[in-house]
Amino acid sequence: MPSDSDADAVRDRLVEQPADGGESPLTDAPAGVRHPARRGGRVTDVPVVAARLTLTDETLLFRAADGDLADFDIRLADIIYLRDGQQEVNGEPVESLVLRHIDPPADAVTTKVSLWDADAHDRLTTVVTDYYRQHREAVAELELSTQQLEVLVTAYSAGREFDPASMLPKAADDIAAIFDPLRRADLLREGDTGVFLTGRGHMVVNETLDDETM
């Protein structure tokens, strides 16, 4: 694996052929990734590193990265915003897909992904954009009560996992009637110590508050 001290390490691993011989443009595809490029509203100083990208089970898997970047996943359902962009690799601007997503249990982070193979990059952009559009349409069709919207906004403000029973002074059956539809709609997801907002849940809050900074 090239070291970070090699000035061409990231570029070399971006343009090499996938280890599986090219079975799929999005299976073990050489990628340049900056993760996280932003955490919350803060730009980080994390560099672009070379990694392998695989799309499977509606999840982007990032593996075998250079440097200190550990393996990580991005669920397509946790993407809350995306756009086309660029990032610099060894002094050269490279097209990138900019993904703002939930880093469970609660952090919102931005990741930049570049595939120098044009077909692979186009496929990545198409798959992620289509999935994101479907989620936006599903959010637009939701009919939630005022109390359920308040729960989602409160969950966003909490910025962490929380126990539903601690949020509402109601009986267990009443709490279930409010929270279970939110789980079924994939607006809340179970964590180790409670529940937290999914990407779709963040979209609902964004629409409710009309807050473009999320």
Side-chain angles (χ1 to χ4, degrees), residues 44-201:
T44 71
D45 59 359
V46 173
V48 181
V49 301
R52 301 284 189 182
L53 169 62
T54 296
L55 171 63
T56 181
D57 297 329
E58 299 182 345
T59 302
L60 300 177
L61 311 178
F62 294 89
R63 300 291 183 266
D66 289 346
D68 297 328
L69 182 62
D71 293 349
F72 71 98
D73 305 338
I74 299 177
R75 296 172 72 244
L76 299 188
D78 281 340
I79 294 174
I80 58 179
Y81 177 74
L82 61 85
R83 63 176 176 84
D84 293 326
Q86 286 189 336
Q87 58 183 343
E88 190 171 288
V89 178
N90 304 130
E92 182 173 343
V94 181
E95 296 298 318
S96 68
L97 185 61
V98 182
L99 305 173
R100 186 160 174 78
H101 58 96
I102 304 306
D103 183 16
D107 287 341
V109 301
T110 298
T111 300
K112 293 186 176 182
V113 185
S114 297
L115 300 177
W116 279 19
D117 179 89
D119 290 340
H121 192 86
D122 288 347
R123 182 180 174 196
L124 171 66
T125 301
T126 297
V127 169
V128 175
T129 301
D130 285 350
Y131 198 98
Y132 177 75
R133 183 181 299 114
Q134 292 172 19
H135 271 266
R136 291 302 299 257
E137 292 172 352
V139 165
E141 294 174 357
L142 288 173
E143 295 183 1
L144 301 176
S145 68
T146 299
Q147 191 165 39
Q148 287 172 326
L149 289 173
E150 290 174 351
V151 166
L152 296 179
V153 171
T154 301
Y156 172 81
S157 299
R160 56 177 171 75
E161 294 183 20
F162 63 93
D163 178 5
S166 68
M167 184 173 286
L168 298 171
K170 293 177 176 293
D173 290 346
D174 295 330
I175 294 174
I178 294 171
F179 278 88
D180 286 352
L182 299 178
R183 292 190 184 94
R184 290 195 297 270
D186 196 24
L187 303 177
L188 293 174
R189 185 147 52 101
E190 297 287 345
D192 294 332
T193 60
V195 297
F196 59 92
L197 280 182
T198 64
R200 184 180 286 190

